[in-house]
């Protein structure tokens, strides 16, 4: 690969040029080089595919006026060297005429940046359609097999490589290349009356076996040969890691310190402050993030192209470490900016782009948990999860692509889908068993929250609020 | 009428088109089109009248799509040079060749006239990008401070999001269009905390996002002052309101709430690509299967729903779609029966439905066009009742105002919605707010229970900026018009009871 990129100039040079041109009190520049490849198919035929390449430059100017520091944030795609100045001036103008930013803090300095997060001189990493190699060559065969067996496959495979170059007027220079990939496949019987789903996250597709994916779909569609209709109600329910990942992702996004301190979330303490320090789970649960987690590696420093309650542009370049959000069932930390950390008097724990959960008393995987179920429901995944009520974090959503009835330790039939109403925070206090943790793909939020490792949950009385006729 | 921004028309649009289309033709493409796009996007948010975050983005790029031997090929890039356009056309041809052996269906396009070289600009007065951030922040800060002056308001959030979208399209058949669309969304939300009970709740403005410019925030098309005046009182009443008793109620649903129910239970369900399974792994399929076109009883006989891409200030309104099809209006549900779908050119041909109704859209130059939602709207009854008249027909019911939480299944059967405000109806009159309310139903049961639609005086154009579909995901803005409505016997949940409290 050549050292020049989309516009014929190196991203590092664009960042340096912007910093040289800057005349404001402070300047932060992020150049994000992205490449993506994807394949999409429906009913055993390829429908769309694509390769995309892009660059986005964001200039953040800070202006320390009499009333505090203001910022201007301006982003453009595909900026060449000759267009950098107009971007810098636009950001400076916005900062000069803007209002003081509540989250203003001194910019990060090079001594604060972890050594492993550098490598500034390296080129952007790039993906191509070739990343699918084995997958693309077996896909046609798998389509033929599926068709012969009366299955229709619908799916999507995507690989992205995003390389971020961060430079600041205080001398920080950081580069990070982030691969993100996933494959997800829905299998249906030819009449579409039965449906199942398998999804995996991956960094490079070398660990994806399409034939195995199809075999798992065939096994699950086989479970559905017998159909039992059940009414709405509370059921003992096994939630597999994908379903747990979606519920935990929503809870994680809600665990923002400033919002809790405002008094607007499930993590707000009545009368003011946050619930950090409170016990949330009956089990010895740990919920944590770690940029170095095996197979789930993610950004090791803060990259923020805008400010809000959960991130601050002033924190760009701050290191991100292993963070326990919940430890031994107790709420330990919330997502912070330096501003909110001061506001709440809690440690600075920025958001991390992965999430893991485990229970210290876990001994069994999903299959063993099924084998030890006298009567209950086994879910495949959840869908269309939305917040109904923020105070308890009541969420609603649907079961999707296979709800199975377990009797006497075996899957005996498929059941209709349900709409549920449950709070993940409440559920954590009601878990009757937590299984072993494994890497998974959240069905609903996996398109932008791809990196998670979750256990299976057994809930004694999961609230299936009504029946959904969807299949 | 504003003109198309010269910064867009100064791009080498026609040179790129010539380079890409002639290359594609030489390489044997049966159809080829190029889209050059520039999308400007600005967000600004305030927390408690102080600036929280801003961002100001611009995306420029182009895409070439070819049809070669019945297979699609698509490629995009950001370098706007004729050489790059030729290369991207070659890539698109290559992609089509690679796709051929994996494709079992031969793609053909429904006929559409060639229109020559045309221009379209959405109606607005003031380009939001001509207004300084400082002026925008001042306006939102004043409004926020006004809310915070009330004791009940613990926190106030304000945000404004504006977009200017330029598209140039040209195809081998001889249609070349240059378009500009402007849209804006502004919301303010007040948070109140009841110190005694510890309960908190919010109340949000109901102003719909619209295909308008900055004038929408300064007096044209919406009365912000009146709504902001009422907001703290609505919040106070909501915090003190009794919890609803779950059960079956008659509902008068305000269009500020119903537009979203229309979006989810009609808009998505009548997308033909969903009915054909193209979205089965992601957004889902549809209960309104193709074999039921012309026979499916979707709702009661007073239900008439149209699709359009021409409504004034509609978020899905255009001159021509991303396949060169002119904007139209058509029937989706007539007298309660499903009579039409939303189409693009390949699906219109595949199902022998004649001409496409113009629903192809790509949200960015890097994404392939797909069938996206038109403005899907429930029609009012000529000479129909007012909202008060509808309320007067209810003995025991609830009047639902403003959208909030929404969720619907992957075949668009089972849904659950909440709202901003729920008022108890007793003997034909409003009797104060209720809280903890959600309505839950199956689509055809719900629309079957529609007893009456209001007159044109109750009609309101709602909408959303954030409709998601497709893999890779694409976002589209869409409007939905509707009158006030009366539904009988709808299931109401108490959300506290659902939470096990």
């Amino acid at each position: 690969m050549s050292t020049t990129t989309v516009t014929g100039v190196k991203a590092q040079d664009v960042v340096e040029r912007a910093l040289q041109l800057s005349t404001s009190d402070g300047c932060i520049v992020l150049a994000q080089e992205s490449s993506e490849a994807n394949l999409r198919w429906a009913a055993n035929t390829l429908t769309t595919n694509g390769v995309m390449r892009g660059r986005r430059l964001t200039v953040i100017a800070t202006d320390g006026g009499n009333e505090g520091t203001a910022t201007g944030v301006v982003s453009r795609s595909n900026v060449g060297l000759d267009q950098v100045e107009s971007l810098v001036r636009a950001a400076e103008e916005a900062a000069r005429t803007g209002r003081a930013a509540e989250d203003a803090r001194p910019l990060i300095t090079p001594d604060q940046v972890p050594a492993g997060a550098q490598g500034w001189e390296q080129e952007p990493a790039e993906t191509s359609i070739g990343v699918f190699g084995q997958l693309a060559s077996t896909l046609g065969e798998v389509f033929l097999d599926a068709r012969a067996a009366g299955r229709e496959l619908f799916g999507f495979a995507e690989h992205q490589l995003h390389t971020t170059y961060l430079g600041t007027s205080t001398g920080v220079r950081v580069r990070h290349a982030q691969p993100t990939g996933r494959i997800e496949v829905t299998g249906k019987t030819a009449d579409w009356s039965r449906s199942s789903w398998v999804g995996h996250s991956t960094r490079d597709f070398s660990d994806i076996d399409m034939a195995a994916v199809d075999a798992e779909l065939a096994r699950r569609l086989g479970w559905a040969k017998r159909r039992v209709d059940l009414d709405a109600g509370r059921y003992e329910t096994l939630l597999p890691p994908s379903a747990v990942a979606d519920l935990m992702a929503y809870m994680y996004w809600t665990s923002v310190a400033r919002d809790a301190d405002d008094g607007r979330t499930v993590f707000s303490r009545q009368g003011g402050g946050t619930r950090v320090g409170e016990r949330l789970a009956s089990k010895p649960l740990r919920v944590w993030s770690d940029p170095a987690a095996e197979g789930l590696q993610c950004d090791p420093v803060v990259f923020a192209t805008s400010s809000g309650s959960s991130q601050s542009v002033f924190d760009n370049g701050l290191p991100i470490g292993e963070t326990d959000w919940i430890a031994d069932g107790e709420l330990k930390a919330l997502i912070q900016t330096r501003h909110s950390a001061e506001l709440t008097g809690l440690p600075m724990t920025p958001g991390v782009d992965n999430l893991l959960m485990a229970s210290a008393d876990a001994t069994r995987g999903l299959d063993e948990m099924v084998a030890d179920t006298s009567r209950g429901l086994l879910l495949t995944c959840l869908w269309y999860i939305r917040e109904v009520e923020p105070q308890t974090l009541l969420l609603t959503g649907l079961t999707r692509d296979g709800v199975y009835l377990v009797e006497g330790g075996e899957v005996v039939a498929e059941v209709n889908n349900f709409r549920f109403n449950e709070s993940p925070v409440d559920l954590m206090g009601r878990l009757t068993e937590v299984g072993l943790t494994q890497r998974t793909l959240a069905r609903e939020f996996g398109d932008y929250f791809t990196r998670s490792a979750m256990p299976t949950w057994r809930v004694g009385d999961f609230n299936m609020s009504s029946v959904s006729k969807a299949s | 009428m504003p003109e198309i921004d010269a910064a867009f028309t100064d791009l080498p649009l026609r040179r790129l088109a010539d380079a890409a289309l002639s290359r594609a033709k030489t390489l044997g493409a049966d159809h080829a089109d190029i889209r050059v796009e520039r999308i400007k996007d600005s967000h600004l948010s305030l927390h408690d009248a102080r600036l929280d975050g801003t961002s100001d983005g611009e995306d420029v790029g182009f895409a070439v799509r070819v049809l070669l031997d019945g297979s699609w090929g698509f490629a995009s890039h950001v370098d706007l040079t004729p050489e790059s356009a030729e290369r991207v056309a070659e890539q698109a041809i290559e992609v089509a060749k690679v796709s051929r052996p994996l494709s079992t269906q031969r793609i053909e396009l429904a006929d559409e006239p060639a229109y020559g070289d045309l221009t379209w600009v959405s109606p607005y007065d003031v380009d939001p990008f001509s207004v300084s951030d400082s002026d925008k922040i001042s306006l939102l800060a004043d409004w926020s401070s006004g809310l915070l002056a009330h004791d009940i308001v613990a926190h106030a959030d304000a945000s404004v999001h504006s977009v200017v979208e330029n598209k140039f399209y040209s195809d081998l058949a001889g249609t070349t269009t240059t378009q500009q669309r402007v849209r804006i969304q502004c919301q303010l939300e007040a948070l109140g905390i009841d110190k005694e009970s510890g309960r908190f709740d919010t109340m949000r403005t109901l102003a719909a996002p619209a295909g308008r410019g900055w004038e929408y925030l300064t007096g044209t098309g919406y009365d912000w002052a009146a709504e902001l005046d009422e907001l703290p009182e609505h919040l106070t009443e909501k915090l003190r309101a009794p919890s609803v008793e779950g059960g079956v109620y008659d509902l008068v649903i305000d269009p500020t709430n119903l537009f979203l129910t229309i979006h989810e239970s009609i808009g998505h369900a009548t997308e033909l690509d969903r009915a054909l399974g193209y979205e089965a792994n992601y957004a889902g399929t549809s209960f309104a299967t193709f074999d039921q076109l012309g026979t499916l009883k979707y709702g009661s006989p007073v239900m008439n729903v149209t699709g359009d891409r021409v409504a004034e200030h509609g978020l899905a309104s255009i001159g021509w779609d991303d396949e060169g099809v002119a904007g139209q209006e058509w029937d989706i549900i007539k007298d309660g029966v499903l009579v039409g779908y939303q189409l693009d050119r390949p699906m219109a041909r595949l199902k022998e439905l004649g001409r496409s109704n113009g629903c192809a859209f790509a949200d960015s130059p890097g994404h392939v066009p797909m069938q996206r939602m038109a403005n899907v709207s429930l029609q009012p009854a000529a000479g129909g009742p007012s909202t008060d008249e509808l309320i007067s027909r209810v003995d025991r019911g609830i009047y639902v105002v403003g959208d909030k939480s929404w969720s619907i299944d992957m075949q668009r059967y089972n849904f659950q919605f909440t709202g901003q405000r729920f008022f108890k109806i007793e003997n034909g009159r409003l009797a104060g707010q209720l809280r903890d309310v959600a309505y839950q139903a199956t689509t055809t049961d719900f629309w079957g229970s529609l007893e009456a639609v209001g007159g044109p005086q109750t009609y309101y154009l709602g909408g959303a900026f954030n409709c998601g579909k497709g893999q890779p995901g694409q976002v589209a803005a869409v409007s939905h018009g509707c009158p006030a409505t009366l539904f009988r016997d709808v299931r109401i949940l108490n959300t506290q009871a659902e939470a096990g409290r």
Side-chain angles (χ1 to χ4, degrees), chain B residues 317-491:
Chain B
S317 298
I318 42 113
W320 302 269
D321 78 350
D322 288 357
E323 294 181 330
V325 178
Q328 300 158 46
E329 179 173 351
W330 68 98
D331 288 331
I332 293 178
I333 296 165
K334 190 81 190 156
D335 303 329
V337 175
L338 175 72
V339 294
Y341 284 100
Q342 301 162 68
L343 308 171
D344 63 12
R345 290 176 70 179
M347 290 192 296
R349 170 56 60 98
L350 180 70
K351 290 298 177 187
E352 299 174 346
L353 295 169
R355 186 185 171 203
S356 164
N357 46 36
C359 294
F361 175 76
D363 71 351
S364 68
H367 283 152
V368 68
M370 54 194 289
Q371 184 266 303
R372 293 310 310 265
M373 204 183 291
N375 305 308
V376 171
S377 299
L378 177 69
Q379 297 307 307
S386 67
T387 305
D388 284 347
E389 287 174 79
L390 291 172
I391 290 169
S392 74
R393 296 182 192 176
V394 174
D395 290 335
R396 176 179 179 270
I398 296 173
Y399 173 45
V400 185
V401 180
D403 69 292
K404 199 169 184 185
S405 170
W406 72 100
S407 173
I408 187 162
D409 72 37
M410 45 284 174
Q411 234 177 320
R412 303 278 145 169
Y413 278 116
N414 175 307
F415 61 68
Q416 179 177 311
F417 291 91
T418 66
Q420 292 293 323
R421 305 191 272 284
F422 295 90
F423 296 89
K424 190 175 186 180
I425 305 174
E426 270 177 348
N427 303 319
R429 307 177 89 102
L430 296 185
Q433 283 192 51
L434 296 165
R435 64 180 169 85
D436 308 327
V437 186
Y439 65 95
Q440 197 184 69
T442 292
T443 295
T444 42
D445 296 344
F446 177 77
W447 289 106
S449 75
L450 174 65
E451 182 178 289
V453 293
Q457 73 277 26
T458 68
Y459 193 78
Y460 156 98
L461 192 65
F465 261 34
N466 60 338
C467 174
K469 186 177 172 184
Q471 288 183 310
Q474 297 195 38
V475 178
V478 57
S479 293
H480 301 288
C482 50
T485 43
L486 169 59
F487 293 84
R488 297 292 184 186
D489 297 335
V490 180
R491 184 184 180 204

Side-chain angles (χ1 to χ4, degrees), chain A residues 48-240:
Chain A
T48 57
N49 51 29
V51 178
M52 282 160 259
R53 185 77 175 85
R55 172 192 290 168
R56 195 163 183 84
L57 187 69
T58 301
V59 177
I60 301 157
T62 69
D63 185 283
N66 293 334
E67 292 170 5
T69 300
T71 61
V73 183
V74 178
S75 299
R76 298 279 181 273
S77 63
N78 192 33
V79 176
L81 279 178
D82 53 341
Q83 295 146 310
V84 174
E85 180 156 15
S86 67
L87 199 62
V88 172
R89 298 293 167 246
E92 289 177 349
E93 173 67 9
R96 201 178 51 74
T97 60
R99 300 269 186 103
E102 201 172 39
D103 57 327
R105 292 296 177 278
L107 301 193
I108 300 306
T109 50
D111 57 296
Q112 294 174 275
V113 178
Q118 288 159 14
W120 176 256
E121 287 305 323
Q122 290 179 46
E123 293 167 20
E126 191 168 0
T127 190
S128 71
I129 203 89
V131 73
F132 300 121
Q134 191 62 25
L135 170 70
S137 61
T138 55
L139 205 51
E141 236 168 84
V142 170
F143 287 162
L144 287 175
D145 291 350
R147 188 172 301 120
R151 279 191 301 284
E152 291 193 358
L153 303 182
F154 307 76
F156 184 62
E158 179 178 56
H159 193 242
Q160 306 174 318
L161 258 166
H162 291 174
T163 309
T164 305
Y165 295 88
L166 165 70
T168 70
S169 55
T170 48
V172 169
R173 299 290 184 275
V174 178
R175 169 197 180 275
H176 178 70
Q178 181 64 55
T180 302
R182 72 185 204 280
I183 180 168
E184 42 175 304
V185 188
T186 300
K188 287 183 182 291
T189 51
D191 63 358
W192 292 9
S193 66
R194 289 180 268 147
S195 193
S196 195
W197 179 83
V198 172
H200 297 292
S201 81
T202 177
R203 284 171 66 84
D204 58 13
F205 278 85
S206 63
D207 50 353
I208 299 299
D209 178 348
M210 187 60 202
V213 168
D214 185 43
E216 177 62 16
L217 290 168
R219 180 170 85 114
R220 290 174 163 268
L221 289 171
W223 285 347
K225 278 183 181 153
R226 186 179 153 226
R227 163 82 177 212
V228 173
D229 286 327
L230 290 181
D231 293 333
R234 288 185 177 270
Y235 290 93
E236 177 168 321
T237 302
L238 293 170
L239 287 87

Side-chain angles (χ1 to χ4, degrees), chain A residues 6 45-46 49 75 77-78 186 258 262 264 384 386-387 391 400 419 421 426 443 465-468 471, chain B residues 47 52 56 58 60 78-79 95 99 102 104 157 198 200 280-282 405-407 409 411 414 498 501:
Chain A
V6 282
T45 184
L46 197 69
N49 51 29
S75 299
S77 63
N78 192 33
T186 300
R258 194 186 82 184
D262 272 357
R264 65 173 75 219
Y384 225 121
R386 293 293 182 275
E387 185 175 301
Q391 191 137 22
R400 183 169 183 179
R419 169 175 298 288
N421 279 309
D426 208 56
R443 171 67 191 274
S465 175
S466 59
V467 167
S468 156
S471 57
Chain B
H47 178 60
D52 195 21
D56 165 359
E58 182 176 311
V60 183
V78 289
D79 282 341
V95 171
S99 305
L102 291 171
T104 52
D157 291 290
F200 65 82
N281 181 60
Y282 183 58
S405 170
W406 72 100
S407 173
D409 72 37
Q411 234 177 320
N414 175 307
E498 287 294 306
R501 319 221 156 184

Side-chain angles (χ1 to χ4, degrees), chain A residues 166-450:
Chain A
L166 165 70
T168 70
S169 55
T170 48
V172 169
R173 299 290 184 275
V174 178
R175 169 197 180 275
H176 178 70
Q178 181 64 55
T180 302
R182 72 185 204 280
I183 180 168
E184 42 175 304
V185 188
T186 300
K188 287 183 182 291
T189 51
D191 63 358
W192 292 9
S193 66
R194 289 180 268 147
S195 193
S196 195
W197 179 83
V198 172
H200 297 292
S201 81
T202 177
R203 284 171 66 84
D204 58 13
F205 278 85
S206 63
D207 50 353
I208 299 299
D209 178 348
M210 187 60 202
V213 168
D214 185 43
E216 177 62 16
L217 290 168
R219 180 170 85 114
R220 290 174 163 268
L221 289 171
W223 285 347
K225 278 183 181 153
R226 186 179 153 226
R227 163 82 177 212
V228 173
D229 286 327
L230 290 181
D231 293 333
R234 288 185 177 270
Y235 290 93
E236 177 168 321
T237 302
L238 293 170
L239 287 87
S242 170
V244 174
D246 269 318
L247 294 174
M248 284 294 102
Y250 204 105
M251 187 187 83
Y252 178 47
W253 294 328
T254 310
S255 66
V256 174
R258 194 186 82 184
D259 296 340
D261 192 64
D262 272 357
R264 65 173 75 219
T265 78
V266 68
F267 299 113
S268 304
R269 177 181 292 147
Q270 191 172 337
T274 75
R275 293 176 65 188
V276 168
E278 272 187 37
R279 175 161 292 280
L280 299 179
S282 49
K283 294 273 171 191
L285 280 185
R286 181 184 182 214
V287 179
W288 77 104
S289 297
D290 179 3
E294 181 59 32
L296 303 173
Q297 294 93 333
C298 61
D299 295 345
V301 300
V302 172
F303 294 129
T305 55
S306 64
S307 283
S309 62
S310 63
Q311 63 173 18
S312 165
V313 293
F314 291 94
D315 295 342
N316 267 301
L318 255 184
I320 297 174
E322 185 175 359
T323 307
D324 279 4
W325 308 107
I326 293 172
D328 199 21
E330 184 184 306
L331 183 64
K332 287 288 182 195
L334 298 168
I335 296 172
Q336 300 277 7
T337 63
R338 281 181 292 169
H339 166 243
S340 69
E342 285 173 28
L343 200 68
T344 55
L346 293 167
M348 171 57 186
T349 46
V352 191
D353 198 14
N354 66 20
L355 192 68
L356 302 93
M357 172 189 256
S359 182
D361 64 357
T363 57
R364 307 194 290 186
L366 175 59
D367 289 348
E368 289 166 279
M369 290 169 74
V370 169
D372 192 26
T373 301
S374 54
R375 188 168 193 270
L377 301 178
L378 167 64
L379 309 187
T380 299
C381 55
L382 303 178
W383 186 246
Y384 225 121
I385 301 162
R386 293 293 182 275
E387 185 175 301
V388 178
E389 202 279 306
Q391 191 137 22
T392 54
L393 196 62
L394 180 69
L395 303 179
T396 193
L398 285 305
T399 62
R400 183 169 183 179
D401 293 323
V403 177
Y404 305 104
L405 179 63
V406 179
E407 282 179 342
E410 283 183 11
V411 175
V412 296
E414 183 191 47
V415 179
N416 47 274
N417 280 302
F418 295 98
R419 169 175 298 288
F420 68 89
N421 279 309
E422 279 287 4
S423 159
V425 179
D426 208 56
L427 283 171
M428 279 196 302
R430 289 162 38 214
L431 299 175
T432 48
E433 185 179 359
V434 179
L436 294 167
T437 295
Q438 64 182 78
R439 270 178 63 185
T440 189
L441 180 69
R443 171 67 191 274
E444 175 157 19
F445 301 123
D447 50 353
Y448 49 102
F449 196 82
T450 315

Side-chain angles (χ1 to χ4, degrees), chain B residues 100-237:
Chain B
R100 190 74 201 90
L102 291 171
S103 312
T104 52
Q105 203 170 68
R106 191 181 167 82
I107 308 288
E108 290 178 30
L109 303 183
D111 293 336
E112 180 72 12
Y115 293 100
D117 198 332
L118 295 162
T119 296
W120 185 84
V121 180
S122 72
Y124 67 95
D125 296 329
V126 181
D127 178 352
F129 288 81
S130 70
V131 179
S132 73
D133 275 2
S134 175
D135 287 352
K136 292 178 180 173
I137 295 165
S138 291
L139 181 65
L140 295 186
D142 286 352
W143 285 349
S144 300
S145 299
L147 291 173
L148 289 164
H150 294 262
D151 287 345
I152 189 68
V153 179
H155 295 284
D157 291 290
S159 66
V160 63
H161 180 190
S162 38
V163 178
V164 175
E165 177 190 288
N166 285 111
K167 275 186 197 251
F168 169 85
Y169 168 93
S170 189
D171 64 27
L172 274 180
T175 292
T176 297
T177 60
T178 313
Q179 305 186 68
Q180 177 161 299
R181 300 203 297 173
V182 172
R183 56 184 176 267
I184 192 161
Q185 174 166 40
C186 177
Q187 291 188 329
L188 285 95
E189 186 174 73
L191 173 78
I193 303 169
D194 184 86
K195 292 204 171 58
E196 260 172 54
S197 64
R199 203 163 59 232
F200 65 82
D201 219 321
T202 57
M203 192 61 68
R204 201 198 68 215
T205 51
L206 306 179
R212 294 179 184 269
W214 189 255
E215 72 279 2
Y216 190 45
L217 273 69
T218 57
T220 302
Y222 203 71
D223 188 345
W224 290 90
E227 175 160 40
L228 289 166
D229 263 359
E230 290 174 0
L231 215 59
E233 201 179 312
H234 286 313
L235 179 60
T236 304
E237 193 188 337

